[in-house]
């Protein structure tokens, strides 16, 4: 997946041409609904957090070294694979592939780039998906992506030489213990939940997977929204995108993902902080790093070293914002301050929530239906922008258990700002201006 700087430069030109051919010809913006994966309606909130957390950890194994993961999660998750965890905390967008268009749900992930779905024929190594399988042979717009396309993962290997006749680029994209493999194709995609704002975009490079691990239950693939050239954001030349995630435990409502000019945030209450450029190559260069300088609980500024979230030259350290991770992880030095501050305010008895939720700080509520006590908001101090999280965005309750919805990470590892903490916030990624903006919002009504 790594590509050299010169390949990136030629890619920028191609991306620009794609935009001219597509977005400029009428389809100005893309608007799609986002719903959270929730395969089992009867699951309790703690079980749900447990599944989501374990899926997070599997995903993150690819982002950190195995050593860091082993140290940070002990033995809790290692015995399970993601297929046992149907209730992930990811959000799904619906898009359609091919001609005629076949619609399917895919995980919207700002932490990776590749857009992929399962392709027929695909027998032994495909997972059960909640939509009919796409068959490239039944679409009039499918093509194998030429190996010398600047979007081909094989382009680097050709080193400028003409591709062998009939060359098709095979990929195997790994995400922690999850992976997906197949051939790179090119297709027309249709975006937009409502007929009125549908956009058909030809020539999108995507992964046509005929073998995957069984880790993607609830989706039929994934849409990468990262900074790399293969992401949907880059391929559309969208320049900016925004999303608003409905509350985690509200599985009835639909949030929104906007790509292109309609992704805008204005009004009072909008705060902006610059992205920090990755000092390292892929996969680090895919991530949206933020500059987190401190955390407060209520009026109390926590005593966290200014360099707790320092980004190192190899891309470790630092904090990324990720729509595809559920529970925020903080380096332990910061996490312990947050944990202690929460504990200093709560008088309920603690309970070992690690079995039911996988979370480290949990309290027993008097009864399963008791409302948790009031808590002050938590403020994340980003460079130039304070983000205020109401209690429901950093604590989670269900079945009489009430937990701090954050986890710790080895000091010096990368921290991740997850989607539980992003609920009911409209978040704009302006990749052209290199800025993240956000404002509180009621996402079901955006
Ligand atoms: C995470 O915190 C728990 C207790 O709060 C501690 O036992 C554990 O060692 C910490 N893990 C890391 C990686 O620092
Ligand atoms: C890719 O290779 C083919 C066959 O050699 C050639 O016709 C085409 O122009 C090349 N395309 C690019 C983008 O280099
Ligand atoms: C893809 O890579 C994963 C992880 O390395 C491996 O387990 C899997 O067998 C590979 N799949 C294919 C089809 O090569
Ligand atoms: C996937 O497709 C490739 C290329 O056509 C083929 O070599 C491979 O055997 C297929 N894998 C499976 C599991 O069908
Ligand atoms: C998820 O997997 C479970 C069992 O592993 C299965 O019963 C369920 O139908 C799957 N859900 C979807 C949406 O594919
Ligand atoms: C979701 O919808 C169901 C059925 O329409 C309803 O009973 C339930 O109260 C709704 N839940 C929320 C959180 O709105
Ligand atoms: C927000 O700003 C965009 C351009 O930045 C503008 O097109 C749009 O009308 C504004 N929306 C509101 C509600 O002010
Ligand atoms: C992070 O923000 C602080 C405070 O504004 C600033 O001093 C520092 O240079 C920033 N670091 C990076 C890497 O942008």
């Amino acid at each position: 997946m790594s590509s050299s700087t010169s390949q990136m430069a030629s890619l920028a030109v191609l991306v620009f041409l794609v935009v001219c051919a597509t977005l400029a010809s009428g389809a100005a913006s893309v608007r799609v609904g986002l719903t959270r994966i929730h395969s089992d309606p009867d699951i309790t909130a703690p079980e749900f957090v447990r599944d989501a957390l374990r899926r997070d950890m599997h995903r993150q194994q690819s982002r950190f070294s195995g050593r860091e993961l082993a140290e940070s999660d002990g033995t809790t998750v290692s015995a399970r694979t993601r297929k046992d965890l149907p209730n992930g905390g990811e959000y799904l967008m619906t898009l359609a592939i091919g001609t005629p268009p076949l619609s399917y749900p895919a995980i919207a992930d700002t932490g990776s780039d590749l857009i992929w779905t399962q392709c027929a024929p695909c027998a032994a190594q495909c997972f059960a998906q909640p939509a009919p399988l796409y068959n490239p042979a039944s679409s009039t717009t499918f093509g194998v992506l030429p190996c010398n396309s600047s979007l081909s993962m094989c382009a680097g290997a050709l080193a400028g030489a003409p591709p062998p006749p009939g060359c098709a680029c095979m990929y195997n994209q790994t995400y922690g213990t999850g992976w997906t493999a197949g051939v790179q194709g090119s297709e027309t995609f249709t975006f937009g939940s409502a007929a009125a704002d549908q956009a058909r975009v030809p020539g999108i490079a995507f992964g046509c997977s005929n073998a995957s691990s069984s880790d993607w239950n609830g989706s039929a693939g994934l849409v990468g929204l990262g900074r790399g050239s293969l992401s949907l954001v880059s391929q559309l030349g969208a320049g900016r995108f925004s999303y608003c995630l409905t509350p985690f435990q509200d599985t009835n409502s639909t949030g929104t993902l906007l790509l292109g000019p309609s992704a805008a945030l204005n009004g009072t209450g909008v705060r902006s902080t610059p992205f920090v450029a990755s000092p390292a190559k892929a996969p680090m260069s895919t991530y949206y790093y933020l500059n987190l300088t401190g955390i407060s609980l209520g009026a109390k500024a926590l005593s966290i070293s200014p360099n707790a979230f320092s980004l190192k030259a190899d891309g470790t350290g630092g904090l990324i914002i990720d729509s595809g991770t559920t529970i925020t992880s903080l380096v332990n030095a910061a996490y312990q301050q947050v944990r202690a501050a929460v504990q200093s305010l709560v008088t309920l008895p603690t309970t070992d929530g690690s079995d039911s939720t996988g979370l480290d700080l949990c309290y027993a509520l008097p009864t399963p239906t008791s409302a948790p006590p009031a808590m002050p908001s938590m403020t994340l101090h980003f460079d130039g922008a304070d983000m205020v999280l109401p209690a429901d965005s950093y604590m989670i309750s269900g079945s009489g258990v009430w937990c701090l919805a954050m986890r710790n990470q080895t000091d010096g590892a990368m921290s991740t700002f997850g989607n539980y903490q992003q609920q009911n916030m409209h978040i704009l990624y302006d990749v052209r201006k290199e800025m993240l903006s956000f404002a509180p919002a009621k996402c079901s009504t955006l």
Side-chain angles (χ1 to χ4, degrees):
M1 282 283 284
S2 56
S3 41
S4 75
T5 323
S6 60
Q7 283 163 335
M8 296 297 276
S10 62
L11 188 72
V13 175
L14 182 107
V15 165
F16 178 69
L17 294 177
V18 169
V19 184
C20 291
T22 59
L23 287 188
S25 64
S29 288
V30 168
R31 180 188 186 96
V32 288
L34 285 175
T35 53
R36 197 172 50 66
I37 288 191
H38 200 255
S39 307
D40 177 358
D42 296 326
I43 193 165
T44 64
E47 287 170 332
F48 173 63
V49 172
R50 180 200 60 203
D51 284 5
L53 189 59
R54 287 172 178 168
R55 278 168 65 133
D56 276 1
M57 288 173 168
H58 282 292
R59 277 169 45 80
Q60 291 189 350
Q61 199 169 24
S62 62
R63 300 181 184 174
F64 313 110
S65 74
R67 182 187 59 80
E68 285 166 341
L69 184 81
E71 281 175 7
S72 66
D73 74 357
T75 56
T76 328
V77 303
S78 52
R80 301 191 79 187
T81 62
R82 225 183 102 157
K83 67 170 176 286
D84 302 319
L85 311 171
N87 301 287
E90 300 100 340
Y91 287 78
L92 295 172
M93 61 185 276
T94 296
L95 66 170
I97 182 170
T99 310
L102 184 72
S103 117
Y104 69 96
I107 295 166
D109 183 21
T110 61
S112 63
D113 293 325
L114 185 68
I115 302 162
W116 63 268
T117 189
Q118 298 193 109
C119 286
C122 154
Q125 288 201 69
C126 276
F127 55 91
Q129 64 174 51
L133 197 60
Y134 160 74
N135 186 345
S138 309
S139 169
T140 58
T141 41
F142 173 80
V144 169
L145 190 73
C147 287
N148 59 347
S149 157
S150 53
L151 290 175
S152 173
M153 296 181 198
C154 298
L158 294 175
C167 176
C169 187
M170 311 297 295
Y171 63 86
N172 182 358
Q173 172 81 57
T174 56
Y175 307 80
T177 55
W179 55 270
T180 186
V183 63
Q184 269 191 290
S186 160
E187 251 300 11
T188 297
F189 280 76
T190 308
F191 305 98
S193 310
D197 48 27
Q198 270 186 356
R200 266 176 80 69
V201 185
I204 299 264
F206 76 106
C208 192
S209 291
N210 70 346
S212 303
S213 54
S214 9
D215 301 298
W216 309 100
N217 189 297
S219 76
L222 186 145
V223 173
L225 297 169
R227 304 175 75 108
S229 53
L230 279 170
S231 80
L232 182 61
V233 186
S234 301
Q235 290 201 58
L236 291 180
R240 60 187 198 235
F241 67 100
S242 73
Y243 58 73
C244 200
L245 305 176
T246 49
F248 197 67
Q249 303 198 51
D250 174 2
T251 49
N252 287 0
S253 305
T254 302
T256 301
L257 170 70
L258 297 163
L259 287 138
S262 69
L265 255 183
N266 23 26
T268 56
V270 178
R271 300 282 178 271
S272 298
T273 183
F275 289 125
V276 178
S278 166
K281 289 189 299 188
M284 304 305 193
S285 53
T286 291
Y287 304 143
Y288 296 97
Y289 286 95
L290 298 175
N291 183 358
L292 181 61
T293 59
I295 301 176
S296 300
L297 187 60
K300 183 176 185 259
L302 306 184
S303 149
I304 295 172
S305 152
N307 53 21
F309 298 105
S310 295
L311 181 52
K312 288 174 282 191
D314 65 358
T316 60
L319 174 133
I320 63 165
I321 177 168
D322 184 10
S323 68
T325 292
T326 301
I327 303 288
T328 292
S329 66
L330 300 176
V331 285
N332 193 48
Y335 172 83
Q336 292 303 337
Q337 292 296 319
V338 172
R339 187 184 199 280
V342 169
Q343 275 212 281
S344 74
L345 297 178
V346 179
T347 53
L348 290 168
T350 55
T351 179
D352 182 0
S354 52
D355 274 356
S356 59
T357 65
L359 296 169
D360 152 69
L361 179 61
C362 291
Y363 298 95
L365 294 169
T367 75
T369 53
S370 301
M375 288 287 280
S377 54
M378 182 181 290
T379 304
L380 303 184
H381 304 286
F382 291 107
D383 182 12
D386 281 356
M387 179 185 282
V388 178
L389 303 179
D392 285 348
S393 293
Y394 68 88
M395 301 295 293
I396 184 162
S397 69
S399 308
V401 180
W402 185 51
C403 305
L404 172 61
M406 293 188 177
R407 66 182 187 91
N408 59 356
Q409 189 60 256
T410 311
D411 285 324
M414 187 164 71
S415 298
T416 303
F417 183 61
N419 64 34
Y420 186 81
Q421 275 68 37
Q422 299 172 37
Q423 55 182 308
N424 265 344
M425 196 157 24
H426 190 180
I427 304 181
L428 173 72
Y429 294 63
D430 194 324
V431 291
R432 255 178 220 144
K433 292 187 185 151
E434 290 291 341
M435 278 283 193
L436 183 93
S437 299
F438 51 85
K442 188 157 193 290
C443 293
S444 57
T445 61
L446 194 75

